[in-house]
Amino acid sequence: MAIASIAYTAAAGGLALALSTTWLALRNRLRFTKVRDELSADLTAKSGMLRELDAATTAFDEAFLAVEGDVVRLVWGEDTLRHCAEALGLKITDTSAIAPQVMQALGDTSAEAAEGLKALISEGKACRFEIFAETPQALSGNPPSGLTLIVEGKASGATAWIRLAIAGAKASLSSGPFAQMAERLPAPCWICARDGRIVWANTAWLKAVEVTNLEEAIKKDLSFDRNADSLVMEAMDQHMRREGFRWLTVGGQRRAFQIIAEPLNDAYVCAYAVDVTEAEDSREALKRHAKAHDETLDALEDAVAIFGPEKQLMFHNRAFETLWELEPAWLAERPTHGEWLDRLRQKRRLPETSDYSGFKARESEAFSLTHTSDDEMWSLPDGRSLRVVRQPHPLGGLLILFSDKTGELKLKAQFNALIQVQKSTLDQLNDAVSVYGSDGRLRLRNQAFDRFWNIQPDDVAAVMDFSQIAELCLPLVHDRGFWTELKARVTDTDPLARAPQLGEVKISDGRLAQWRTQPLPDGATLVAFSDITATRQLEKAIDARDEALNESVRLKRDFVANVSYELRTPLTTIVGYADLLQAQTNDNPKQKAYLDSIQSAAQELARSIDDVLDMAQIDAGEMSIHRADVRLLDVVAEVGLRLSDTFKARGVSFDYDGVVETGLIRVDAKRLAQCLEHLLGNAIRNASAGSAVKLHAQKDQDNLVLEVAYSGRGIPYHVQAHIFDRYIGRERGGPGLGLALVKALVELHDGWITLESEPNEGASFKIHLPGQSEAGKDDAPAAPKLELVEPTHADDADHSDDASVVDVA
């Protein structure tokens, strides 16, 4: 029973277990079918979501990377990741390894990107940054362009998720607003990559290098400036801002540029060049102006010193060193204002004062001046007087100017003394003198001025205008036009108007005044009035006397001409009848002697009449000479022939030496013979009996000297000064015109005559005739030729030393 019960129980238990298992299996199947249906529906929904996500990532150019430890895998966006790899310059050989390569390239773009990715992976910190990547032509096959990548990373558990998104469509650096702004800047601006190649440049840069686009510049390997490229590389290497200055030729013009290179990140450097030509020109102009200012101050005679805001000596000229006798080396150390005063005090160059500390403090207060102080005079112990001017310097500090007025003060004192002397001198003049400045104001007048115009001294103020002076003088000269014209000559600046002028004016009291204006060197004008009433009356008397004198001269000339004519007519008759009687006289010696005396007297009278007529003709200016080339020996022979009888009668011989027969002279032969005849005749009359009259001729280049000398009665000293005056020799017979006529004829030849004589020893007359260098040339007519002949005399034996005579051929 027990076994059956146990078996029954076991069978019932097994059946119950089978039923339970079947029911559980059925229930599980129903539950699993429901779960399957739910999962199938969820899968369908997830598939649709994935398709939508794929479409969304494709539309927005996004890629997702998952980083788990050292494993980097692409979760989504293979095409986007490929574009990013190309933009980052990666060479795609294995598509399965593209994600790690892009991850590595992202970290290499900049230190910021590397630190952000490292913090995301190791610490789970979220990060977000942007990267500009250029698409190389070799990778894309298209012209280079750029991509702006947005990198965003977040951590989820042990996985770091990285989203790569392309910001908009593919574009270059100039697509952004700041880049567009840089594009419009007038300054050349460009961006260089790590290797130094240019990846972007604005229009100003392209214009500077004279290309139309960046591709052309890269192809030609053009650069804005090689030194600027070096500056860019320094900024890249040192990761800091670098600046430089360069003079470049841009657009055919020499321009100055301030070049600045600024690192953008570890991959790019931005550089731009600012045109500072105008600033540099202004700086150079300022330097030249400052140098010219210093040179100008250095050339001044006044001493100039400039102390800076710190009261140190900043500038001084050479006159400053000379004035104070300071050492250049000490001045080069830039002493302070106080040290300079102390040094001057040691050298006793400052004004003597009992309170030097107060003096020094007052001088230091000048640094607080806001305007130029009043001039101050310093009297130095060495006797010099200095004018001191202090004024604030535009750049801060104090400018002090010292002018040595010692000489000026002395000159001023001398000038004042000279003015007093001049005024005293003018007061002694009879002319009314007044001096007016260029402004027309009275500066100076003498006492005669007040007397001339009947003006009281109290009526004339210290400085009065010319018009006021004219009003005081108007009662004596009523013509206002005269005073207006005279004022114009005083105040007009025209040199023609200020030229010296002279005129006359009638005064109402009957006087006649002569006025004259004389411009003075200092711009003033002297006006003088002279009373010429008596002078004009005297001139009228002189004119009347001159007219009477001219009339008397005319009457004298007429008288001489008439007398000469009246004398020549009977003289000709006397000579003619004497010759007739001489021819008819046979052997009556007494009658022959009488006739010889008559003929001799008639000839002497004829020569005297000729002398009188010649002198009258010379006085009237009607005589002229006719120069010609003649032989001097012929002239001498002709004169000797005329005077041969006179020589014999006086028992005097004639000696000639000097110019030979061939010697030519250029003179008026007739007038020269007349001169020699008078001189030889005078010598014959004064020579001692038995002596010789000598004629010496000497020709020295342009001058001819004829000397007539004799021994015998000389000429007294009191007569020598007047020997060539008229009527001096009348006590010896004749009209006394011989030597005066000789002098006049010689002067007509542009020559002169001299006398040397000792009483009772004889005399020597020398005729000097210039203009002989032209003798013998073809530009003068030839005179008639004279031949020298020896006359035959009955008493030759008694006069063997007599002069030779000539006969006209």
Side-chain angles (χ1 to χ4, degrees):
M1 183 63 183
I3 296 175
S5 296
I6 294 172
Y8 175 77
T9 301
L15 179 62
L17 180 61
L19 289 174
S20 298
T21 303
T22 302
W23 180 80
L24 181 61
L26 180 62
R27 184 181 178 184
N28 286 336
R29 180 178 180 184
L30 292 174
R31 187 170 58 87
F32 288 149
T33 301
K34 183 180 179 181
V35 171
R36 184 194 64 185
D37 293 339
E38 289 177 358
L39 289 176
S40 178
D42 184 61
L43 180 61
T44 302
K46 296 294 184 181
S47 298
M49 185 182 296
L50 288 176
R51 286 192 299 269
E52 291 175 357
L53 289 175
D54 184 47
T57 54
T58 303
F60 287 97
D61 289 334
E62 293 183 348
F64 291 91
L65 301 178
V67 181
E68 296 175 349
D70 294 334
V71 178
V72 180
R73 57 187 176 83
L74 174 63
V75 177
W76 199 265
E78 182 179 356
D79 294 336
T80 301
L81 186 63
R82 187 181 299 273
H83 287 304
C84 293
E86 293 178 355
L88 294 172
L90 300 177
K91 297 181 179 180
I92 303 173
T93 57
D94 185 5
T95 57
S96 61
I98 188 172
Q101 295 180 13
V102 170
M103 187 66 181
Q104 181 65 34
L106 291 176
D108 294 339
T109 55
S110 65
E112 178 187 2
E115 291 178 0
L117 294 176
K118 182 178 179 181
L120 173 66
I121 296 172
S122 60
E123 301 176 10
K125 293 183 179 179
C127 64
R128 188 182 186 282
F129 52 87
E130 295 182 1
I131 296 174
F132 175 79
E134 183 186 11
T135 304
Q137 183 177 6
L139 298 177
S140 62
N142 298 317
S145 61
L147 292 178
T148 300
L149 303 181
I150 299 176
V151 181
E152 185 177 5
K154 289 184 179 182
S156 178
T159 304
W161 297 90
I162 298 175
R163 183 176 69 92
L164 296 178
I166 299 177
K170 295 182 180 180
S172 66
L173 282 175
S174 61
S175 61
F178 291 101
Q180 292 178 5
M181 179 187 70
E183 182 71 22
R184 289 169 172 77
L185 289 177
C189 182
W190 66 101
I191 296 178
C192 294
R194 178 183 293 274
D195 56 0
R197 54 190 175 87
I198 298 177
V199 298
W200 177 85
N202 66 350
T203 304
W205 187 92
L206 298 175
K207 184 178 180 180
V209 298
E210 299 179 352
V211 294
T212 57
N213 52 63
L214 182 60
E215 291 75 20
E216 182 180 355
I218 295 175
K219 182 178 180 180
K220 295 181 178 180
D221 193 22
L222 298 179
S223 173
F224 183 75
D225 179 63
R226 298 303 177 186
N227 289 326
D229 294 344
S230 301
L231 198 70
V232 169
M233 296 306 296
E234 290 180 10
M236 176 68 73
D237 295 339
Q238 299 176 9
H239 301 287
M240 61 183 298
R241 177 191 180 99
R242 302 293 295 170
E243 295 184 6
F245 177 82
R246 293 289 294 167
W247 278 95
L248 303 174
T249 302
V250 177
Q253 296 182 350
R254 188 72 171 169
R255 311 293 294 178
F257 290 94
Q258 182 73 20
I259 301 175
I260 302 172
E262 186 75 45
L264 298 179
N265 48 44
D266 291 345
Y268 299 99
V269 175
C270 175
Y272 53 95
V274 181
D275 192 340
V276 294
T277 306
E278 288 73 14
E280 284 300 314
D281 291 342
S282 300
R283 185 179 293 106
E284 291 298 325
L286 180 60
K287 290 181 180 178
R288 292 192 298 269
H289 179 74
K291 183 179 180 181
H293 179 266
D294 293 346
E295 291 177 353
T296 302
L297 293 180
D298 200 46
L300 292 179
E301 295 182 358
D302 295 341
V304 179
I306 300 177
F307 291 90
E310 303 299 329
K311 297 185 179 182
Q312 283 188 318
L313 182 65
M314 305 301 297
F315 171 82
H316 68 279
N317 61 357
R318 286 179 291 182
F320 183 82
E321 297 180 9
T322 305
L323 176 67
W324 300 115
E325 298 180 0
L326 297 174
E327 299 80 4
W330 184 78
L331 292 174
E333 296 177 358
R334 299 183 180 274
T336 64
H337 182 262
E339 293 173 346
W340 168 68
L341 291 176
D342 294 339
R343 192 64 171 263
L344 293 184
R345 189 191 182 199
Q346 293 175 1
K347 292 178 173 288
R348 297 192 73 246
R349 297 286 190 270
L350 292 178
E352 296 291 349
T353 177
S354 59
D355 185 10
Y356 173 71
S357 299
F359 173 82
K360 185 175 180 181
R362 289 192 299 273
E363 290 297 317
S364 298
E365 291 175 358
F367 282 88
S368 61
L369 290 174
T370 58
H371 60 278
T372 303
S373 65
D374 296 333
D375 295 356
E376 182 181 347
M377 293 299 297
W378 282 8
S379 296
L380 303 185
D382 58 3
R384 290 182 295 174
S385 298
L386 303 182
R387 181 172 68 93
V388 184
V389 179
R390 305 174 186 86
Q391 66 180 26
H393 195 268
L395 301 179
L398 181 67
L399 183 146
I400 308 179
L401 185 143
F402 300 92
S403 301
D404 191 347
K405 297 296 182 180
T406 308
E408 182 178 340
L409 294 177
K410 291 181 180 178
L411 289 177
K412 188 174 182 179
Q414 295 175 0
F415 175 77
N416 292 333
L418 182 61
I419 289 295
Q420 294 299 325
V421 172
Q422 290 178 345
K423 191 175 187 313
S424 300
T425 303
L426 291 177
D427 287 340
Q428 304 304 316
L429 297 178
N430 294 325
D431 293 349
V433 178
S434 56
V435 178
Y436 301 89
S438 58
D439 56 356
R441 295 186 177 273
L442 179 66
R443 299 292 178 83
L444 187 67
R445 75 184 195 280
N446 62 353
Q447 296 176 358
F449 181 85
D450 297 344
R451 295 194 300 268
F452 189 90
W453 296 108
N454 296 328
I455 298 176
Q456 296 299 325
D458 296 338
D459 296 337
V460 182
V463 178
M464 292 186 67
D465 186 73
F466 185 90
S467 300
Q468 297 172 318
I469 298 294
E471 289 294 333
L472 297 177
C473 302
L474 200 61
L476 294 179
V477 177
H478 308 307
D479 188 2
R480 291 185 179 273
F482 167 77
W483 295 109
T484 302
E485 181 182 356
L486 196 60
K487 181 179 180 181
R489 301 191 183 282
V490 172
T491 59
D492 198 342
T493 57
D494 187 2
L496 296 178
R498 283 180 48 79
Q501 297 292 332
L502 184 69
E504 297 179 1
V505 62
K506 189 72 174 178
I507 301 179
S508 59
D509 59 4
R511 292 178 295 169
L512 181 64
Q514 183 185 67
W515 61 269
R516 58 186 177 274
T517 62
Q518 178 66 43
L520 301 179
D522 60 350
T525 303
L526 182 144
V527 180
F529 288 88
S530 304
D531 187 354
I532 60 172
T533 306
T535 303
R536 286 291 180 263
Q537 293 175 352
L538 181 61
E539 288 178 354
K540 290 180 180 179
I542 293 175
D543 291 340
R545 184 173 180 179
D546 185 63
E547 184 177 354
L549 182 61
N550 292 335
E551 181 65 18
S552 66
V553 171
R554 185 185 65 79
L555 293 176
K556 182 182 72 173
R557 290 174 56 194
D558 294 344
F559 172 77
V560 171
N562 292 332
V563 169
S564 299
Y565 175 76
E566 295 297 333
L567 290 176
R568 282 183 179 278
T569 301
L571 183 61
T572 303
T573 303
I574 293 172
V575 173
Y577 281 111
D579 291 340
L580 180 59
L581 291 175
Q582 184 74 25
Q584 294 177 355
T585 301
N586 295 326
D587 296 328
N588 190 339
K590 184 178 288 187
Q591 292 182 355
K592 185 175 180 181
Y594 291 157
L595 291 175
D596 289 341
S597 298
I598 292 173
Q599 288 179 333
S600 176
Q603 292 175 359
E604 185 67 27
L605 180 59
R607 283 195 296 270
S608 298
I609 293 173
D610 290 340
D611 291 346
V612 172
L613 291 177
D614 289 342
M615 186 60 69
Q617 191 175 9
I618 291 174
D619 291 340
E622 298 175 354
M623 177 177 285
S624 61
I625 62 173
H626 304 282
R627 298 175 184 266
D629 291 346
V630 297
R631 289 198 312 165
L632 177 61
L633 192 58
D634 294 341
V635 177
V636 173
E638 180 182 6
V639 175
L641 179 61
R642 293 179 190 172
L643 299 177
S644 59
D645 294 338
T646 306
F647 276 110
K648 293 176 182 179
R650 296 286 296 179
V652 178
S653 62
F654 176 47
D655 293 339
Y656 168 74
D657 65 321
V659 180
V660 298
E661 294 184 9
T662 58
L664 294 179
I665 60 175
R666 178 166 291 187
V667 294
D668 188 325
K670 176 182 176 182
R671 299 304 177 186
L672 180 60
Q674 190 174 357
C675 294
L676 293 178
E677 186 174 353
H678 280 291
L679 291 177
L680 292 175
N682 178 74
I684 292 172
R685 289 191 297 271
N686 293 281
S688 302
S691 63
V693 175
K694 299 180 180 180
L695 174 60
H696 175 71
Q698 180 181 356
K699 186 176 180 183
D700 182 12
Q701 296 180 356
D702 191 56
N703 294 317
L704 173 66
V705 181
L706 299 174
E707 180 183 6
V708 177
Y710 65 90
S711 59
R713 185 175 61 171
I715 301 174
Y717 292 121
H718 69 280
V719 180
Q720 292 182 15
H722 306 282
I723 192 63
F724 295 107
D725 295 344
R726 302 179 187 184
Y727 315 119
I728 295 300
R730 293 192 63 182
E731 70 275 6
R732 294 188 295 274
L737 295 177
L739 294 180
L741 181 61
V742 170
K743 180 176 181 294
L745 293 176
V746 170
E747 291 177 349
L748 286 176
H749 281 81
D750 299 327
W752 66 95
I753 184 170
T754 59
L755 166 67
E756 295 179 3
S757 176
E758 291 288 339
N760 301 322
E761 292 186 8
S764 171
F765 293 87
K766 289 184 180 181
I767 296 176
H768 301 264
L769 300 176
Q772 302 303 316
S773 59
E774 301 295 327
K777 296 185 178 180
D778 298 333
D779 56 350
K785 185 178 180 181
L786 301 177
E787 293 184 359
L788 182 65
V789 297
E790 292 289 342
T792 303
H793 297 281
D795 50 352
D796 285 345
D798 298 333
H799 302 281
S800 60
D801 295 333
D802 285 353
S804 300
V805 295
V806 297
D807 191 10
V808 180

